[in-house]
Amino acid sequence: MNSRISPLIECLRAAGEPTRLRILALLRQRDLSVGELVQLLEQSQPRLSHHLKALTAAGLVERLPEGSFVFYRSATQGMGKIFLDSLFFQLSDDDPELSKDAERLEEVSSARATSAEAYFSSIAENWDRLRSMHSPSEAIEKALLDLAGPGPYARMLDFGTGTGRMLSLFAPLAAEAEGIDLSHHMLTVARANLERDGIETARVRQGNVTSVPFETESADLVIIHQVLHYMDAPNRAIAEAGRVLKSGGKLLIVDFAPHDLEFLRAEHGHHRLGMSHEAMSAWASDAGLTIDPPLSFAPPAGEEEGLTVNIWRALKPATSVENTA
């Protein structure tokens, strides 16, 4: 059989079942775990797992393991995405059953928000203490937007997304935005925040910033915000950023300048007490990037244990072919 017809038939077989169509419609709106689909569709986990296995095998759904959880996402590329775009273009937005499923998504959003609030409450004291030690986030975020430029960006990636704040900040400038983080708890917070902010073009998934699950030269903009000081080998994250950036793409790094506050290492898990520009320059060079001197933000006046925040911008040079085009 023709090599292009066979995958199409597999897509038709997989999608041509009422429950699977409902699953696909839900996953087009947001990433969901098996447990959340059980709640939404009121069907058994074994049955839904069977449907998800068939949809994954047909390339219509992507499987995203996250610790003891597994999240699912509708296909974002290839034949699967083309098929789904065509399929849902032909479906009515006001189909009664699909509309009812969409309304029940609010229950999932509410549960996520509750879980996120509980986790964040447990770390709020430490979080607020760190925020008080450096320049206000609003000033740093404004500078980030200025350094990034107006865009638009086809794809923005956020390494170590944490609460998802960078995704909310930059999503209006990007057709697609995605964040990764190792912590399932922080991903729960990020998902809840993105849903609260009504951000539909950004998603998150579990991943390691030293080996990101993204294709080479697939992003216009990469953000690494307050992540590197937690790492033993920050150069590996910068190397990955260099790999996934397109020619002409930008990397923005936010981190602390060198300091001697040892309690941050002992009590907050900081592996490195700030980042020097010399080290950052060497790592960027090794990754094939050119880097500007940092833009610095002094700590608040009167803060005895203050932290200076630096923002670095690095560029991936355009290829010689692009330069002469």
Side-chain angles (χ1 to χ4, degrees):
M1 184 174 291
N2 186 287
S3 61
R4 297 188 64 181
I5 293 177
S6 182
L8 177 59
I9 291 175
E10 291 302 313
C11 288
L12 290 167
R13 285 173 177 165
E17 195 277 338
T19 297
R20 293 179 189 174
L21 187 61
R22 293 171 68 191
I23 291 171
L24 290 170
L26 287 166
L27 295 180
R28 294 270 287 180
Q29 297 181 66
R30 67 189 62 164
D31 302 345
L32 296 166
S33 68
V34 178
E36 290 170 335
L37 286 167
V38 167
Q39 175 187 343
L40 286 161
L41 300 176
E42 298 181 328
Q43 297 187 23
S44 70
Q45 182 167 330
R47 182 175 182 182
L48 286 175
S49 294
H50 171 74
H51 288 315
L52 288 164
K53 183 177 180 180
L55 292 170
T56 302
L60 297 178
V61 162
E62 298 172 9
R63 188 175 184 272
L64 306 172
E66 191 170 301
S68 60
F69 292 78
V70 176
F71 283 81
Y72 289 87
R73 173 181 299 176
S74 64
T76 57
Q77 58 186 351
M79 178 69 182
K81 183 179 187 307
I82 295 171
F83 177 86
L84 291 177
D85 288 345
S86 176
L87 173 64
F88 283 94
F89 177 76
Q90 300 174 67
L91 288 176
S92 171
D93 292 336
D94 58 2
D95 176 85
E97 191 165 37
L98 297 184
S99 296
K100 183 179 178 180
D101 289 343
E103 290 173 4
R104 295 190 65 182
L105 269 177
E106 295 310 311
E107 298 176 19
V108 169
S109 295
S110 178
R112 287 181 174 180
T114 300
S115 178
E117 183 178 355
Y119 172 70
F120 217 73
S121 294
S122 71
I123 64 171
E125 184 176 350
N126 287 340
W127 194 274
D128 290 342
R129 171 60 181 137
L130 282 175
R131 284 171 61 92
S132 71
M133 295 170 65
H134 60 73
S135 185
S137 297
E138 293 77 9
I140 295 170
E141 290 178 0
K142 182 181 184 303
L144 279 170
L145 290 170
D146 290 342
L147 288 171
Y153 298 98
R155 193 179 194 207
M156 171 263 185
L157 299 176
D158 185 20
F159 286 15
T161 196
T163 65
R165 175 55 190 161
M166 291 298 103
L167 293 174
S168 292
L169 184 67
F170 281 94
L173 303 180
E176 177 185 348
E178 187 162 6
I180 62 168
D181 203 291
L182 275 176
S183 168
H184 168 68
H185 292 299
M186 291 309 296
L187 291 171
T188 299
V189 173
R191 289 189 180 101
N193 287 341
L194 291 171
E195 289 167 16
R196 179 202 64 203
D197 294 342
I199 304 296
E200 298 181 354
T201 57
R203 293 188 174 184
V204 297
R205 63 186 294 179
Q206 191 171 52
N208 192 325
V209 298
T210 65
S211 181
V212 298
F214 305 124
E215 296 180 357
T216 299
E217 297 188 356
S218 61
D220 311 283
L221 177 66
V222 175
I223 309 290
I224 306 179
H225 183 273
Q226 297 290 21
V227 172
L228 297 183
H229 59 258
Y230 289 109
M231 300 181 62
D232 287 325
N235 58 303
R236 294 175 62 188
I238 294 175
E240 279 292 85
R243 179 183 67 80
V244 301
L245 276 173
K246 299 176 183 176
S247 296
K250 298 175 185 176
L251 166 64
L252 297 179
I253 302 169
V254 182
D255 220 299
F256 300 126
H259 60 84
D260 58 2
L261 303 180
E262 283 288 343
F263 81 92
L264 291 177
R265 195 197 309 271
E267 300 175 21
H268 296 269
H270 290 204
H271 283 268
R272 290 172 174 264
L273 300 183
M275 303 285 156
S276 71
H277 179 57
E278 291 73 22
M280 202 70 76
S281 296
W283 296 333
S285 178
D286 290 344
L289 306 173
T290 60
I291 194 166
D292 299 330
L295 180 62
S296 295
F297 293 81
E303 179 61 56
E304 293 183 4
E305 294 183 325
L307 293 165
T308 295
V309 174
N310 283 340
I311 304 178
W312 288 269
R313 180 176 62 179
L315 304 177
K316 186 170 186 176
T319 64
S320 57
V321 173
E322 292 169 334
N323 283 329
T324 58

